[in-house]
Amino acid sequence: MNVLELDKVSKSFAKGLLGRKHRVLGGLSLQIERGEVFGLLGHNGAGKTTTMRVILGLLRPDGGEVTLFGDRGATRRALSRIGYLGDETGLYPHLNGGEMLQFAGELFRLAPHVIRSRRNSLLKAVGLAEKREVKISKYSKGMRQRLGIAIALMNDPELLILDEPYSSLDPVGRRQLRKLLLSLKQKGKTILLSSHIVPDVEAVCDRVGILSGGTIQKCLSLKEIYAQKTTPVEVTVSGIDPRPLADPVRGVSLVFQNPGAFVLRCEGRGLMKQLVSSVYERGGDVLEIKPLKFSLEDYLLETLTAASADGADTLATEIEELIHAHSS
């Protein structure tokens, strides 16, 4: 069963003094199944936030249809089953963390004992248990982001929508959030999250959609990608001349060399065994055999190459931005 469906959704905004229309979404279609974690990848300005606001009814689409839990549009019944973390978290600075969660629970009309239990467990889950009495005005940006995540989970939502959830988090916070999302995934929660950083999405998602030009250009199942791909292996060798062993036609490439050692890369168990045997036959030493983890970045690079071959220069450029965003 699909928890969320978007059917040819479009949205434009007036831009400039003349009010000319700028199209952000142009016929975007998407389906997310119950229990699925879906990552929306796109460069800054691709329309990720606009998509989420349209889903929640915060923006009215110019065309198309949104269906949530079988209801057409963001009905009150549907919204009560959703948790949302926006790109800007609205918090009351004069309250402390515990009071803010208390207030959120009361807005959802939860029973007092339920509020008390969830407030305590969520503060612990996002690493703010020791800061519950501190005023939000004294919270760092990362702490505010953690509290926003806790608020999004206060109603125990069936669908969790997170707009750039890793934003402002330090490495510890990113690890805690990743662990939390994986635990929610195990509980069968449906999650839609956006990011412009590939590793954040790859760590938790079942499927990934690349948003470009106002539509989903590519929709990738990570399980299918990994199942189709063989794992490259790097063999570190010393004591012999590496050049006779490097054979691009057979799939063996020399990727690194210094006076003491060199690294050869190949794919497939059979080819690796042949390579190792050749090294010993020539009197060399094998120092290390290291499998390389296939990543979503690798697939996006392949997509980049294919897109460039098809003349899709804009998509190719945007994919390249995604791949390198986390290193900037």
Side-chain angles (χ1 to χ4, degrees):
M1 174 185 174
N2 291 331
V3 169
L4 169 65
E5 296 182 14
L6 302 180
D7 183 24
K8 299 178 181 178
V9 171
S10 61
K11 181 64 182 177
S12 298
F13 296 96
K15 188 177 182 181
L17 294 176
L18 299 179
R20 292 176 178 172
K21 290 290 186 178
H22 170 64
R23 190 186 72 173
V24 178
L25 303 179
L28 188 151
S29 296
L30 174 66
Q31 297 82 36
I32 299 179
E33 298 180 357
R34 184 178 300 277
E36 182 178 26
V37 181
F38 190 94
L40 199 58
L41 273 172
H43 65 97
N44 291 328
K48 302 186 297 296
T49 296
T50 299
T51 299
M52 292 185 170
R53 290 178 177 176
V54 168
I55 291 171
L56 294 164
L58 300 175
L59 290 175
R60 186 188 298 272
D62 299 330
E65 186 173 295
V66 177
T67 303
L68 285 163
F69 301 102
D71 292 348
R72 183 175 180 178
T75 64
R76 180 176 296 182
R77 185 181 71 157
L79 291 176
S80 69
R81 303 162 73 179
I82 297 174
Y84 173 56
L85 173 69
D87 58 335
E88 296 180 2
T89 306
L91 303 172
Y92 293 103
H94 61 281
L95 298 179
N96 60 42
E99 291 169 341
M100 190 69 222
L101 283 176
Q102 177 77 28
F103 177 60
E106 291 174 357
L107 288 177
F108 281 110
R109 300 182 180 180
L110 301 177
H113 72 280
V114 174
I115 295 176
R116 197 159 47 245
S117 174
R118 289 185 186 170
R119 179 189 62 201
N120 295 337
S121 62
L122 287 172
L123 285 171
K124 183 178 180 181
V126 299
L128 290 177
E130 297 180 0
K131 303 291 184 180
R132 61 180 299 160
E133 302 297 335
V134 177
K135 297 291 185 183
I136 294 174
S137 60
K138 297 182 179 180
Y139 275 19
S140 67
K141 193 172 182 180
M143 292 168 65
R144 289 170 178 259
Q145 185 77 351
R146 293 180 188 216
L147 184 58
I149 293 167
I151 292 171
L153 293 168
M154 192 64 188
N155 63 324
D156 191 23
E158 297 175 49
L159 171 61
L160 186 60
I161 299 178
L162 305 173
D163 192 0
E164 300 284 357
Y166 292 93
S167 174
S168 305
L169 295 180
D170 57 22
V172 174
R174 294 167 78 91
R175 179 178 293 181
Q176 287 178 327
L177 176 57
R178 188 160 54 243
K179 183 178 179 180
L180 177 60
L181 292 179
L182 289 173
S183 70
L184 293 170
K185 180 178 179 178
Q186 291 177 347
K187 294 177 181 178
K189 301 293 185 182
T190 307
I191 302 173
L192 169 63
L193 66 91
S194 71
S195 180
H196 63 280
I197 301 177
V198 175
D200 290 345
V201 173
E202 184 183 13
V204 297
C205 291
D206 300 305
R207 286 194 300 145
V208 171
I210 301 174
L211 181 60
S212 174
T215 63
I216 300 293
Q217 297 285 353
K218 293 278 186 178
C219 193
L220 315 171
S221 168
L222 298 189
K223 290 181 179 179
E224 291 179 3
I225 293 173
Y226 294 143
Q228 295 170 2
K229 294 295 178 180
T230 57
T231 302
V233 176
E234 288 188 348
V235 182
T236 304
V237 178
S238 67
I240 57 174
D241 181 0
R243 287 172 294 181
L245 295 174
D247 185 355
V249 176
R250 293 177 58 231
V252 180
S253 57
L254 179 63
V255 296
F256 175 79
Q257 181 179 6
N258 65 24
F262 58 91
V263 178
L264 293 163
R265 181 178 297 168
C266 64
E267 288 191 14
R269 183 177 179 85
L271 187 55
M272 179 200 69
K273 292 173 68 175
Q274 293 176 21
L275 178 59
V276 171
S277 295
S278 297
V279 170
Y280 285 125
E281 288 173 1
R282 294 171 181 270
D285 295 314
V286 175
L287 305 180
E288 182 183 30
I289 299 175
K290 181 175 69 175
L292 299 180
K293 178 183 178 293
F294 178 80
S295 69
L296 181 58
E297 289 186 8
D298 298 324
Y299 191 88
L300 290 178
L301 280 171
E302 293 179 10
T303 305
L304 169 62
T305 303
S308 298
D310 293 338
D313 295 329
T314 301
L315 176 59
T317 300
E318 291 173 354
I319 292 173
E320 190 171 27
E321 289 176 2
L322 294 177
I323 292 170
H324 297 294
H326 68 287
S327 61
S328 59

